[in-house]
Each structure stands twice: as C-alpha cells, then as structure tokens.
C-alpha cells in the first residue's frame, strides 16, 4: 500500500470502523448475508493495512 498522509489514514479507518458497526447500512443492505463474515474479515484486513507502525 502506498504511504498515505496520517489524516487520510485516520479518516479511512474511521469510515471502515463505521461500516463494521452493528446496524450499518453498508453491512445490512449491500452485503449478502451469506457473504457477511467474509466481507467483515476483508474490511478488517484493510484496517490492519491502514495501521501505521506506531499503531501496533
């Protein structure tokens, strides 16, 4: 992943945290229930990729 400014990383992580929340329109309306867990795992992978070395 290319180096992103810290503010962009923070915004992206905030947005992804929100889509993972219970009741999220993204999780409910856009993801087939059969694929929901795989989708959540993929979003969590993106969140890990957005972590900076200091976040670990």
């Amino acid at each position: 992943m290319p180096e992103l400014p810290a503010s962009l990383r923070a915004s992206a992580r905030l947005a992804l945290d929100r889509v993972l929340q219970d009741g999220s329109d993204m999780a409910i309306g856009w993801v087939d229930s059969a694929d929901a867990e795989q989708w959540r795992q993929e979003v969590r992978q993106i969140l890990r990729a957005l972590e900076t070395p200091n976040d670990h």
Side-chain angles (χ1 to χ4, degrees):
M1 173 174 276
E3 187 62 35
L4 301 172
S7 62
L8 182 56
R9 284 179 182 270
S11 294
R13 291 176 69 193
L14 179 61
L16 292 173
D17 282 335
R18 287 183 180 173
V19 301
L20 286 175
Q21 291 178 355
D22 289 338
S24 159
D25 286 343
M26 182 77 161
I28 293 171
W30 288 49
V31 177
D32 182 27
S33 60
D35 299 327
E37 188 52 38
Q38 179 181 348
W39 175 80
R40 283 183 181 85
Q41 288 176 4
E42 290 171 2
V43 172
R44 288 182 193 114
Q45 284 180 312
I46 296 168
L47 281 167
R48 284 190 295 273
L50 289 169
E51 291 179 353
T52 61
N54 294 337
D55 290 341
H56 293 127

